[in-house]
Amino acid sequence: MSISSTDDPIVVVGMAVEAPGGIDSLPEFWATLARSQEKIGPFPRDREWPIDQLLALGRIDGWRTVQDAGGFLTGATEFDAQFFGITPREATAMDPQQRVAMRVAWRALENAGINPGGLDGAQAGCWMGVSAIEYGPSAASVNEHSGYRATGTALGAVAGRISHGLGLIGSSISVDTACASSLTAVHQAAAAVRAGECAWALAGAVCVMGTAGAFFEFSKNNALATDGHCRAYAADATGTLWGEGAGVVVLERESRARELGHRVYGRLLGSRINHNGKGAPIAVPSAVAQERLISDTLAVADVVPEMIGMVEGHGTGTPVGDPLELAALCRTYGSIDRPGAGALLGSVKSNVGHAQAASGMLGLIKVLLCGANGQIAPSLWAQHPTTEIDWDATSLRLATELEPWEPIDGIRYGAVSSFGVAGTNAHAIIGMPVLQEDPDV
């Protein structure tokens, strides 16, 4: 399945975000990116996590040191249940990912100039990327959440809550392809709009960690950053650093957007999804599969690599994953005929950590904000790039400072990658028309 560029492409007309460090608006997110700020903080002390045990893991043979650090949503425990017509008891039993997703979707609609309170019966769909995060006590026990666990923890309820709360009657689907979930959701939502299954759609992703399980798992796998930083594509990267976040975009056909007077942030020129297939262990990325994916996306978007000015990579900061991804990027976007003159590469994970299912959505919104502001935001820790590739033999370069982004015939072209731990890969190419008005983002 693919989404291709036509005379009436799928466009992004609204968006909203929540990111670590108290970010809950597009201007705050852009300021963080443009100013090279890192929004990493200590473990939350209001989630009953075994923090002392976490910080002592490095003393166990075969386990890596865990720093008191991550990219956490400061408002993850906050929710105005009455505003969304939900009782306090039911709200407590709801996975916080449902709560965060509902309010971010609401703000995305407002950003698009759509009244969220007037959508009951709208032929609109909702696709949300999300993964299980072990929220709350076991359903196989008697507790205050009993009776609400079926809807409170079901992954399908993340998209379902949004559709239910707004009254949308189109498809409502939660997507779990691990860290590729965001772009998978966008890909499927755009396909549905193009096929006429719905008039327009919400597409997004959310990650709020109900437990510290991801930190335990990557400590044991020796893939967690030892210094509390996610140093994407850097020579001194030691592993990834977990984070949280949420983002939602509003998608519709460009003809509809023009008819309704909606601002067009960007056109989805092409998107593709594939899998690594057999071979290496399931969690190990595949440069071959990634290269094939990027080439397929360029073809369906009808875009040549030289047109791409910005690549928002996956860039988890792992010594295994980053070099494999860079190899694929260099063979597709890194023409050796134009050394030092090609696309600028970065990863939002360097600012806010690895938001897992929501990471690709934060990356997509980063690209859209860069396009709206006409500047490519820097990637942190890029001054000392990995030596695993020969940077002199590629036109790709890491974005080390805020740089102007010149359009090509009035369009800025960007690309976004996401790769899941179970082998799913996703890539999208966006064309962003120069905004004549104040972007207000």
Side-chain angles (χ1 to χ4, degrees):
M1 182 185 297
S2 64
I3 315 302
S4 60
S5 175
T6 69
D7 292 335
D8 195 11
I10 305 302
V11 297
V12 176
V13 298
M15 54 186 178
V17 67
E18 281 196 22
I23 296 171
D24 63 4
S25 72
L26 296 172
E28 289 174 321
F29 192 40
W30 172 245
T32 292
L33 299 170
R35 297 171 185 170
S36 297
Q37 296 176 342
E38 185 186 42
K39 296 296 184 178
I40 300 302
F43 290 131
R45 263 57 180 180
D46 60 352
R47 303 189 192 180
E48 300 181 356
W49 285 9
I51 293 176
D52 290 341
Q53 183 184 6
L54 265 174
L55 301 181
L57 288 177
R59 303 173 193 167
I60 305 173
D61 186 38
W63 292 65
R64 176 166 287 189
T65 298
V66 177
Q67 298 293 336
D68 189 2
F72 302 105
L73 294 181
T74 56
T77 60
E78 302 169 3
F79 183 62
D80 189 344
Q82 185 176 4
F83 179 84
F84 289 101
I86 297 172
T87 66
R89 183 182 175 195
E90 184 173 9
T92 301
M94 287 169 55
D95 180 343
Q97 296 183 128
Q98 296 182 25
R99 305 179 223 152
V100 172
M102 291 180 75
R103 65 182 181 226
V104 176
W106 188 280
R107 290 201 299 266
L109 290 165
E110 291 182 324
N111 181 257
I114 298 171
N115 176 14
L119 295 175
D120 191 17
Q123 186 66 35
C126 179
W127 280 257
M128 289 295 296
V130 60
S131 297
I133 46 76
E134 303 178 290
Y135 175 71
S138 169
S141 63
V142 177
N143 55 69
E144 68 274 21
H145 300 311
S146 295
Y148 291 105
R149 298 290 289 165
T151 55
T153 61
L155 289 184
V158 174
R161 287 282 186 188
I162 295 171
S163 296
H164 180 264
L166 296 171
L168 309 182
I169 62 173
S171 300
S172 187
I173 299 172
S174 294
V175 177
D176 183 7
T177 53
C179 304
S181 297
S182 293
L183 295 187
T184 304
V186 170
H187 177 78
Q188 293 185 346
V193 174
R194 183 168 299 284
E197 295 177 24
C198 49
W200 57 275
L202 293 167
V206 61
C207 173
V208 182
M209 289 180 278
T211 72
F215 288 91
F216 280 93
E217 190 74 1
F218 266 52
S219 170
K220 178 59 176 174
N221 290 339
N222 289 301
L224 195 66
T226 59
D227 60 357
H229 302 288
C230 188
R231 299 177 183 269
Y233 311 120
D236 50 357
T238 59
T240 200
L241 185 71
W242 296 122
E244 301 174 328
V248 174
V249 296
V250 183
L251 303 176
E252 63 187 4
R253 288 179 178 271
E254 185 162 4
S255 60
R256 187 176 193 272
R258 301 301 182 190
E259 179 184 348
L260 298 176
H262 294 160
R263 171 176 47 195
V264 174
Y265 286 107
R267 302 179 179 114
L268 182 61
L269 301 179
S271 63
R272 282 290 177 110
I273 313 292
N274 76 1
H275 193 273
N276 293 337
K278 293 178 65 175
I282 191 170
V284 176
S286 167
V288 172
Q290 292 176 26
E291 180 181 357
R292 183 172 63 249
L293 174 74
I294 295 169
S295 296
D296 288 349
T297 310
L298 284 165
V300 77
D302 195 21
V303 170
V304 295
E306 291 76 18
M307 297 169 67
I308 303 296
M310 174 183 180
V311 176
E312 173 64 13
H314 192 55
T316 60
T318 56
V320 174
D322 281 10
L324 289 171
E325 180 187 1
L326 286 169
L329 290 172
C330 287
R331 289 195 290 264
T332 48
Y333 292 119
S335 169
I336 60 173
D337 296 331
R338 304 164 56 249
L344 289 173
L345 169 67
S347 173
V348 72
K349 296 177 184 66
S350 66
N351 301 94
V352 296
H354 187 349
Q356 303 163 72
S359 60
M361 185 54 59
L362 296 184
L364 173 61
I365 292 175
K366 173 187 171 181
V367 171
L368 290 166
L369 288 175
C370 287
N373 287 278
Q375 295 175 298
I376 297 177
S379 194
L380 276 62
W381 323 114
Q383 292 81 3
H384 303 288
T386 177
T387 57
E388 292 294 320
I389 70 163
D390 182 0
W391 293 98
D392 292 330
T394 177
S395 61
L396 273 179
R397 52 197 177 102
L398 293 182
T400 58
E401 59 186 1
L402 189 65
E403 293 193 28
W405 189 356
E406 297 301 327
I408 300 174
D409 296 329
I411 306 292
R412 297 183 176 98
Y413 296 91
V416 191
S417 283
S418 287
F419 312 121
V421 72
T424 299
N425 308 303
H427 195 71
I429 294 175
I430 314 297
M432 290 148 284
V434 175
L435 297 178
Q436 301 301 318
E437 70 275 16
D438 182 348
D440 191 29
V441 293

